[in-house]
Amino acid sequence: MVDNTQLPPAQELAISRDLMTLSRHVLQQVGGGSYDAQAQDLSALMGRIALAGKLISRHLSRSGLVEDALGSTGSVNVQGEEVKKMDQYANRIFIRALEQSGLVCRLASEEMEKPYYIPENCPVGRYTLLFDPIDGSSNIDVNLAVGSIFSVRQQEGNDETGEALDLLQDGRKQLAAGYILYGSGTVLVYTIGKGVHSFYLDPSLGEFILVQENIQVPSTGNTYSINEGNFCSWPESIRQYVMHLHRTPGYTSRYSGALVADMHRILMLGGVYLYPGTESHPDGKLRLLYETAPMAFLMEQAGGRASTGTQNVLDVIPKKLHQRTPLIIGSPDDVALVESFVGSGASAQEPVQVSELRR
Ligand code: AHM
Ligand code: MG
């Protein structure tokens, strides 16, 4: 008798993959059937973050065709940076999508000076979402890759002052983190502290479909990503490191102007991304709570590392909401190599002997 309920193994596998939605995946990560309340919450939160990602992806895909997607709003944000229309739109999308989750009491983003409270959610919603709605904003108007970065933390205390002091804690307090890359396809990569997993948006289904579980970054890679236009204002140790790469055959430079895109390349292929301090910005450009800490959490979960040069990014305790940190992130051996230059106090007069550092 022929079993008409079964398909060939390859097709069965493809169907299982297509049926693995993001929310279900989060639940499965946590708990073999007995899902606790936090697992349910994180699953629901990831569902809302994914919804925000889908809406932003849709808007970006039509950006040249609609009035309100390209160009600047004419205002500057709390960082003193030009606000693009897409920054404003994506920020609002995240707020609205999470407002409706009922789970998030507070949101904080690159585009908002102070945390945004949703009082009606606060009695039950004990989570804070930190996010960068559009990372790599300068790419929007020229149709290049951009991303969104997110981080979920438990809200501690009642925060009656509205100062969000409980957010001023290290990156190990994150419950979930990830990014959405709006590139040639839209991909969502996340961790809840149980490995790193990627989902691609299938536009025909309107669903994120699992493509890779337990991603591991290669221990080393030949790509380095840094804005070399800042060469003269970097610390000498970073200049020495980059000059070492220039002199060593096999390295290649890739820099897209969007951390999410560069980070994704490095996660998949290995290498290192750097945004060091500069003369005018000794802590670099990237913000800890919603850019470098979530990326650090994710990279560590993939077997990689994230450093300021002297400290693990996940150990940095911010003094303020929009604090910046230098970032050196990627393959563990490559991050260690950069740190060896920083630690050696390399100067132009005393070039570092690097032969033993490069495998
Ligand atoms: P943004 O979130 O305001 O776009 O800033 C973050 C971006 C990163 O994505 C990118 O790697 C970096 O800033 C690029 O900055 P620069 O143009 O100074 O190289
Ligand atoms: Mg950003």
Side-chain angles (χ1 to χ4, degrees):
M1 189 101 146
V2 181
D3 181 358
N4 283 326
T5 63
Q6 293 289 315
L7 292 172
Q11 281 185 44
E12 286 291 335
L13 207 69
I15 291 174
S16 304
R17 201 198 57 179
D18 286 353
L19 291 174
M20 179 55 80
T21 61
L22 185 57
S23 305
R24 190 164 152 237
H25 193 261
V26 178
L27 280 180
Q28 227 176 53
Q29 291 289 298
V30 188
S34 57
Y35 308 134
D36 63 14
Q38 190 175 78
Q40 309 255 14
D41 290 353
L42 288 180
S43 168
L45 282 174
M46 284 304 304
R48 301 308 290 185
I49 291 167
L51 177 59
K54 287 180 213 173
L55 290 166
I56 294 167
S57 176
R58 186 179 68 179
H59 207 60
L60 281 168
S61 69
R62 297 173 180 164
S63 59
L65 306 171
V66 292
E67 286 299 307
D68 54 349
L70 300 184
S72 166
T73 60
S75 56
V76 292
N77 65 15
V78 59
Q79 342 275 336
E81 293 160 356
E82 178 191 27
V83 178
K84 301 274 189 182
K85 288 179 186 167
M86 262 319 289
D87 290 323
Q88 205 173 50
Y89 174 84
N91 193 61
R92 191 69 190 140
I93 288 289
F94 268 96
I95 292 174
R96 295 297 304 275
L98 272 300
E99 229 165 25
Q100 292 169 11
S101 74
L103 290 167
V104 166
C105 165
R106 188 174 60 184
L107 296 109
S109 94
E110 180 175 330
E111 304 304 333
M112 302 186 287
E113 184 177 358
K114 296 217 156 88
Y116 180 100
Y117 285 82
I118 310 167
E120 61 274 24
N121 285 357
C122 292
V124 280
R126 305 308 301 161
Y127 300 95
T128 292
L129 181 81
L130 293 130
F131 63 106
D132 181 359
I134 296 286
D135 166 70
S137 304
S138 70
N139 282 0
I140 298 167
D141 294 349
V142 286
N143 199 24
L144 295 176
V146 293
S148 300
I149 306 173
F150 58 88
S151 165
V152 177
R153 292 185 183 226
Q154 191 84 51
Q155 184 167 330
E156 295 176 10
N158 286 325
D159 193 20
E160 279 148 6
T161 60
E163 287 177 18
L165 294 176
D166 62 300
L167 289 178
L168 306 184
Q169 298 193 58
D170 64 64
R172 299 183 198 282
K173 293 274 178 188
Q174 295 174 98
L175 299 173
Y179 59 78
I180 304 163
L181 168 59
Y182 313 102
S184 47
T186 296
V187 56
L188 186 154
V189 181
Y190 87 98
T191 185
I192 56 167
K194 292 177 185 295
V196 173
H197 319 286
S198 68
F199 285 70
Y200 264 76
L201 180 61
D202 181 337
S204 64
L205 284 175
E207 282 286 354
F208 280 102
I209 301 298
L210 176 66
V211 286
Q212 205 175 340
E213 285 185 295
N214 298 312
I215 298 169
Q216 285 289 301
V217 65
S219 61
T220 184
N222 65 357
T223 300
Y224 70 99
S225 294
I226 190 168
N227 183 347
E228 296 209 47
N230 293 332
F231 188 92
C232 290
S233 55
W234 293 333
E236 184 56 30
S237 55
I238 300 294
R239 283 203 285 260
Q240 287 292 326
Y241 165 72
V242 170
M243 285 192 288
H244 159 65
L245 301 189
H246 290 168
R247 290 191 297 258
T248 309
Y251 280 109
T252 189
S253 165
R254 292 284 183 273
Y255 190 75
S256 74
L259 167 64
V260 169
D262 292 324
M263 164 90 176
H264 192 64
R265 177 198 298 276
I266 282 160
L267 182 67
M268 304 313 290
L269 303 176
V272 63
Y273 170 99
L274 304 94
Y275 209 111
T278 59
E279 266 165 25
S280 56
H281 293 92
D283 290 325
K285 176 182 182 189
L286 303 174
R287 276 66 41 141
L288 178 67
L289 283 167
Y290 43 82
E291 291 179 320
T292 63
M295 291 307 205
F297 184 23
L298 199 92
M299 192 52 95
E300 277 204 3
Q301 282 292 313
R305 292 193 47 218
S307 168
T308 64
T310 54
Q311 191 180 11
N312 186 320
V313 170
L314 290 178
D315 290 331
V316 178
I317 299 174
K319 293 193 175 62
K320 55 181 186 181
L321 181 62
H322 297 288
Q323 180 162 324
R324 299 172 196 260
T325 46
L327 179 66
I328 299 155
I329 190 166
S331 296
D333 293 358
D334 294 308
V335 173
L337 180 61
V338 182
E339 284 176 328
S340 72
F341 275 78
V342 175
S344 73
S347 73
Q349 290 73 37
E350 302 165 41
V352 175
Q353 293 304 308
V354 292
S355 48
E356 72 280 10
L357 297 172
R358 178 74 183 147
R359 297 136 311 275

